[in-house]
Amino acid sequence: MTIMQELRHRKAVLARLVFLGLVAAAALAPLAPRAGESDIVLDNLTFTVGATTYRIPHLELKGASLSAIDLADLFKGDAKAVDGRLARLSAKSLRIPALTSETRAGGVVERSAYRDIDAADVVAGRIAILRAAGAEQTVEKPDGGAQHYLWGASVAKGIDLRQLAYLALATRLDSQEATKPVVDEESVEQLIIEDKAGRMTTTIGRLAVTGVKGRALPFPLPQLRDRLAKFDADKAEADPALLKDVIDAAASFDVASLDIREIAATGKGAPAESPYTVKIGRIAAAGVANGAVGSLALEDLSLVASDGGRLALKRFGLRDARLASLVESPFPQVGHIEAKGLDGDLPDARLGESARMKFSLAGAEADFADFREIAPTKLSGRMDQLAIDLASRGEAPSTAQFLALGYRTLDLSASLAGEWREKTQEAVFAPLRVEGKDMGAATLNVTFGGVSAAVFSPMAIVSRAALLASSLTSAELTLDGGALVERVLALESKTEKKPVDKLRADYAKTAAAAVAVVFGGGEKARKIADAVAAYVMKPKRLHVRLVSEKGVNALDAMARRPGDILESMEVEAVAER
């Protein structure tokens, strides 16, 4: 995120420099010995705007439509007056071979140098094309930290100076103000960032952005920059509204598409001789408008840590994400999120020097729809083949039992779906399914009744009360396969030196007795107990279904015994024999 912020910041600075060059040329035009009626040539310009001093050794402006006096007053007055002058501004070309600037504010010193700035076909305040051969920038902070930026060649097309001036001078009063075009497209061939304090170097192969639109910020931009400069992550409570205001600022700009390729960061780790590296093949975004992101994709991520840990991700993506929900809602509003091709190999010092945490994930995705207040009313998700290498964990207690059962890898998949039905006031979760390779699968379907819209209230006391008022009306559990049961019995047989058939009968009897004790030993409890015992004897498929016409709510669960609740329900329990 920081890299993208810097790129957007640099684009705005470059556009402002064009403005300042025009202002300086107009103000000093009477002194230029080579100036003609529509051509202006100036040498050795120095001028200060606010906390920034600019130096331009040479400037050429050809075919200017405004007089020297009009150009001198180009940015005087309010946003409306400036817009009127820019609407009359046209020129064939602007050329600045070199430009430097220095800004001193709040103890921060920023120095920049641009090379070969060329603008062509300025018509009614709109630049058809703007090129720069490159730029270099250093930022020195009071704490001794310093950053160095090296920008490659850049090209921008369709720059609307009128809208840029408006964004710089105005403050938004109308919350419904529409965004207007700022830049049609822009590309930067390379960016190198060196952070001396963090001992990190970041490179970007290429950046391209299209369809940039903007509207005035709801607060002065310098004010926001000062707050960001003073922000301390360890003292975030000093400016609790900063994150919200940053999101508001981001929501003031639309971007049709953003494409960043070949990102690599290298830094000094601990120990220093073991650097860490982060690489991203591509970051792409599209449909960024009104504080929402239509789509975002991150591809070919790899991380090599200083301690030898490795992490790789083929793709991460999301769609229809609303930025404001990050601070306004306990459930971020995202339509779709996915991750594919995750592989990890990390050291685990807690278990010893040789212990590793190796895992992989074929894919995971989730969809959320029909948001109401704070949460979606419809969702679905799945996780495919989360594989954990148990052997690499060493003698970890959490994996010892699985290793004893013969599992070298724990391979799990899962899926879920849920929906709130407003018409019937029901919340249905079906199915919730977990499947383990060489283990079996469990599927759970649950329905809650009396679920009102109040459960989505942003007021916690209201939503909690609504949840307590809802009731469980049905629950259905199905177990398919019994590979795990068979392995447990085989291990127990080997350990206890008892026949498997004898152990199976003992386990079936014990399981039936446990169910009967938990649920009170009534007729319906015995029905479930018999089905469980039959499943242990022949672990192929177990199906248990509970239905309550009136429903069971939280008060019932606290006030009544489990056996009494079970006996008041319709019960179905069957084991495939």
Side-chain angles (χ1 to χ4, degrees):
M1 189 64 182
T2 301
I3 292 173
M4 288 190 284
Q5 288 173 344
E6 290 291 347
L7 290 168
R8 289 195 297 267
H9 169 65
R10 186 53 43 211
K11 174 184 64 194
V13 169
L14 189 56
R16 287 200 300 272
L17 292 177
V18 175
F19 300 158
L20 295 172
L22 290 170
V23 174
L28 299 178
L31 304 179
R34 291 178 286 172
E37 183 178 351
S38 60
D39 296 345
I40 299 172
V41 179
L42 289 171
D43 293 322
N44 300 321
L45 304 180
T46 299
F47 55 96
T48 299
V49 178
T52 304
T53 298
Y54 297 89
R55 294 178 176 83
I56 303 176
H58 182 75
L59 178 149
E60 298 176 5
L61 181 64
K62 295 185 178 183
S65 62
L66 298 181
S67 67
I69 295 176
D70 288 334
L71 286 170
D73 294 335
L74 193 60
F75 293 101
K76 290 183 179 179
D78 58 17
K80 184 176 181 180
V82 173
D83 180 75
R85 297 188 193 98
L86 284 173
R88 303 194 307 274
L89 173 64
S90 296
K92 292 181 179 179
S93 66
L94 168 69
R95 182 171 184 269
I96 303 175
L99 183 152
T100 61
S101 68
E102 181 176 289
T103 303
R104 294 178 178 270
V108 177
V109 180
E110 178 181 324
R111 298 183 178 89
S112 302
Y114 299 86
R115 304 188 311 277
D116 297 328
I117 301 173
D118 290 287
D121 298 328
V122 182
V123 179
R126 190 175 190 273
I127 300 176
I129 187 166
L130 175 67
R131 291 186 173 90
E136 189 170 359
Q137 177 190 29
T138 59
V139 179
E140 300 174 357
K141 301 179 181 180
D143 60 5
Q147 291 177 315
H148 180 251
Y149 301 79
L150 187 62
W151 300 79
S154 64
V155 179
K157 298 180 180 180
I159 304 172
D160 194 318
L161 301 181
R162 296 174 63 185
Q163 187 63 7
L164 278 170
Y166 171 72
L167 298 180
L169 299 173
T171 299
R172 185 170 78 242
L173 300 177
D174 180 6
S175 61
Q176 302 302 314
E177 177 183 328
T179 58
K180 294 182 179 181
V182 177
V183 179
D184 287 347
E185 59 182 87
E186 181 178 5
S187 63
V188 180
E189 291 305 317
Q190 187 182 57
L191 168 62
I192 300 174
I193 306 172
E194 296 178 343
D195 187 336
K196 294 182 179 179
R199 299 182 296 174
M200 181 175 71
T201 299
T202 302
T203 63
I204 296 176
R206 190 176 189 276
L207 176 144
V209 61
T210 66
V212 180
K213 297 180 180 181
R215 58 180 177 171
L217 301 186
F219 37 72
L221 180 58
Q223 182 185 95
L224 179 62
R225 293 188 64 183
D226 288 343
R227 292 168 64 192
L228 286 170
K230 297 175 182 178
F231 178 70
D232 185 345
D234 295 328
K235 300 178 181 178
E237 66 277 3
D239 193 351
L242 179 59
L243 177 58
K244 183 179 184 302
D245 288 345
V246 169
I247 291 176
D248 285 345
S252 298
F253 294 89
D254 299 346
V255 178
S257 69
L258 174 68
D259 192 284
I260 307 174
R261 295 177 182 265
E262 299 177 10
I263 305 167
T266 303
K268 298 296 182 181
E273 63 271 14
S274 299
Y276 63 86
T277 60
V278 180
K279 294 182 179 180
I280 303 175
R282 183 187 183 212
I283 297 176
V288 180
N290 198 29
V293 179
S295 66
L296 173 68
L298 181 152
E299 299 175 353
D300 298 323
L301 165 69
S302 65
L303 166 66
V304 179
S306 300
D307 59 7
R310 296 175 181 272
L311 190 66
L313 179 64
K314 188 66 178 176
R315 174 183 169 82
F316 170 81
L318 58 81
R319 293 196 304 266
D320 302 326
R322 195 169 72 89
L323 298 178
S325 67
L326 298 176
V327 295
E328 295 176 351
S329 173
F331 195 108
Q333 186 170 325
V334 178
H336 174 84
I337 187 169
E338 65 179 41
K340 295 182 179 180
L342 175 65
D343 283 286
D345 183 355
L346 311 176
D348 193 341
R350 298 172 302 172
L351 299 178
E353 294 183 1
S354 62
R356 310 288 295 184
M357 183 184 298
K358 296 182 181 180
F359 57 90
S360 65
L361 175 67
E365 61 181 309
D367 290 281
F368 308 95
D370 302 332
F371 277 80
R372 175 174 291 215
E373 297 289 344
I374 63 171
T377 62
K378 189 174 183 179
L379 59 88
S380 64
R382 60 180 297 113
M383 177 186 73
D384 296 320
Q385 296 179 325
L386 172 61
I388 303 172
D389 187 340
L390 301 176
S392 66
R393 301 284 291 158
E395 299 298 325
S398 59
T399 60
Q401 186 64 33
F402 287 103
L403 288 171
L405 291 171
Y407 291 106
R408 303 283 294 178
T409 301
L410 191 61
D411 192 330
L412 302 174
S413 295
S415 63
L416 64 89
E419 180 182 8
W420 176 66
R421 299 170 181 172
E422 183 174 13
K423 186 175 181 179
T424 59
Q425 298 284 280
E426 289 180 313
V428 179
F429 296 91
L432 307 176
R433 181 177 173 85
V434 178
E435 183 175 356
K437 184 179 180 181
D438 297 326
M439 290 184 173
T443 304
L444 178 65
N445 298 334
V446 182
T447 300
F448 293 91
V451 183
S452 70
V455 298
F456 301 102
S457 171
M459 299 179 61
I461 189 171
V462 175
S463 61
R464 288 174 184 171
L467 284 173
L468 291 174
S470 64
S471 59
L472 174 68
T473 58
S474 71
E476 188 172 356
L477 174 66
T478 302
L479 300 181
D480 287 298
L484 178 59
V485 174
E486 297 293 357
R487 291 198 183 203
V488 170
L489 289 171
L491 176 62
E492 190 74 8
S493 174
K494 182 179 179 181
T495 303
E496 299 294 328
K497 296 183 175 11
K498 293 182 179 180
V500 171
D501 291 344
K502 175 64 168 62
L503 285 171
R504 188 187 301 276
D506 291 343
Y507 269 62
K509 185 177 180 180
T510 301
V515 171
V517 169
V518 170
F519 292 107
E523 177 185 351
K524 295 177 180 179
R526 290 195 300 272
K527 188 175 184 179
I528 296 176
D530 290 343
V532 170
Y535 172 73
V536 174
M537 293 299 295
K538 189 177 182 180
K540 294 184 66 177
R541 192 169 193 269
L542 171 66
H543 179 77
V544 178
R545 182 171 181 265
L546 310 177
V547 177
S548 174
E549 185 176 345
K550 294 182 178 180
V552 179
N553 59 32
L555 183 60
D556 290 329
M558 291 185 292
R560 301 169 62 190
R561 292 181 302 177
D564 294 337
I565 295 175
L566 181 65
E567 293 303 316
S568 68
M569 305 178 77
E570 177 185 333
V571 175
E572 178 185 342
V574 178
E576 185 175 334
R577 299 177 184 274

